[in-house]
Amino acid sequence: MSEPGKGVNAGKLASNVQKRITRVQEKMMQKLGKADETKDTVFEEGVANFNKQMAEGTKLQRDLRAYLAAIKTMHECSKHLQECLSDMYEPDWFGKEEVDSITEDSDIVWEDLHQKLMDSALNSMDTYMAQFPEIKARIAKRDRKLVDFDSARHHFASIQKAKKKDEAKTAKPLTLMEKAAPSWAQGIISAHQIAQTNLNRCQAEEELARAQKVFEEINCDLQEELPSLWNSRVGFYVTTFQSIAALEETFHREIGKLNQNLCNTLIKLEEQQEIKKAVMTTGKSGAAANHNATVESDITKPASKLKPGPPVPLPPRPSPSKEVKQDDINLFEDELVPNINYTAPSQTDATATTQPHAATTVTNGSSDAKLPTGVLYKVKALHDYAATDNDELDLKAGDVVLVIPYINSDEQDEGWLLGVKESSWLQNKNLTAKGVFPENFTQRL
């Protein structure tokens, strides 16, 4: 005896094979034009839109995966480049810690972009595309059920046609054999034919009703789902690309800040190296510079680019015509300066001032002990300088300036000094009329 399960499976297999044969025969008859085919132009348009939507989604999904793979590759390349810079950056260079921090933060920003794109874009894309295979299978099933419905419809129509033939045959005169048969036998034969025709008709009608019900159920569901799916594509595209654009905007803003910080750090490093180089160059060439040979070319350069030449010996200052006490010639006391009349020195006096025993502390002002509070030293203008801003001093060759320190050392520009003209201090006894002037236009006393 065979097992019950095997019998059921064998019967189901035979039924499926018979259905396939029937469908092939029906499709062949339709292609040959011997059987009509049920058409639904609205549904066919929906299927065409479905196939287009699925193709677009498949391409978008493929391109999005390639985009994420490229971001991952770019992340790795950027990480290696940043690490290369961090490894080459020497510990004593400016901003070493800042460069290391920028390298770490850049890696975090890249990783955050990739992860959020995976979560918000690719995963949503995968969920969106997961519905297409199931709907595609239902469309194929609907096509098969449509063939079954057409086949059942044609079979029922053929039964109806056969019934009409039998009725027409019954109305015709009896043949000689039928006449030779007993009357009771003729009634049995007619009844059997009518019963068989009715049975076939009922079976065909039931099969048609069943095929029609199955087809209409799946057809109605798809008639509702396909337009809804087609219209949903707009919202999905908007959400997906808005998410990608927002994530990219955030990424570029954050990575841009990090790149700007890196640029600023590297600029400061370059400035630091330039300062070191300038100090070394000045130290080597300062002693050998010839001020008299370069003074004209220095004047034509911007003041911040000029370098002072070696000191030039000052001519001896004239001696006073009368003796003055030490207290009388102290120019830096709070008392008023005495009015002293000077006379032009004679040839003998000028010669005497060059002798060591005739030198005093009287007029050259080179002693730091006599400088007022807050004054560093004195300088003398070697050339005229016309101020170009309201915070600068106008100088004439021969002017003496009292040099004072900057309140904030960061405000001092290279090659510029802050001071007050000695004439202004002598008149006002304060250091308020201060201004900046180029150092290379002067000589320290």
Side-chain angles (χ1 to χ4, degrees), residues 242-350:
Q242 277 184 342
S243 176
I244 294 175
L247 290 173
E248 284 190 349
E249 192 273 336
T250 301
F251 165 78
H252 288 299
R253 183 176 64 252
E254 293 179 355
I255 206 70
K257 291 180 181 178
L258 294 175
N259 288 336
Q260 184 61 48
N261 293 339
L262 179 60
C263 288
N264 294 338
T265 302
L266 296 177
I267 290 174
K268 291 180 180 179
L269 172 64
E270 183 181 22
E271 292 176 351
Q272 182 189 58
Q273 297 301 315
E274 289 294 333
I275 292 174
K276 290 182 178 179
K277 182 179 179 181
V279 170
M280 294 177 62
T281 303
T282 303
K284 293 180 180 179
S285 62
N290 187 337
H291 175 75
N292 293 329
T294 60
V295 66
E296 293 183 1
S297 61
D298 286 347
I299 294 176
T300 61
K301 298 179 181 178
S304 60
K305 302 294 184 179
L306 298 174
K307 297 180 181 179
V312 177
L314 292 176
R317 297 187 62 184
S319 301
S321 60
K322 64 178 181 178
E323 293 183 358
V324 184
K325 294 182 180 180
Q326 181 68 23
D327 293 339
D328 294 334
I329 64 172
N330 190 343
L331 303 180
F332 306 104
E333 293 295 335
D334 293 335
E335 300 177 357
L336 294 177
V337 178
N339 187 10
I340 302 174
N341 295 324
Y342 293 91
T343 59
S346 63
Q347 182 69 25
T348 306
D349 293 336

Side-chain angles (χ1 to χ4, degrees), residues 7 26 38 77 102 138 153 163 171 186 188 194 196 204 216 225 247 262 301 330 334 344 356 363 389 403 409 440 443:
E26 181 65 23
T38 302
C77 294
I102 291 173
R138 290 169 58 196
R153 181 168 56 83
K163 180 182 177 182
Q186 293 178 4
I188 293 175
I194 294 173
Q196 184 65 37
E216 288 182 349
E225 292 182 19
L247 290 173
L262 179 60
K301 298 179 181 178
N330 190 343
D334 293 335
T363 61
D389 204 346
V403 179
S409 60
N440 58 343
Q443 178 186 20

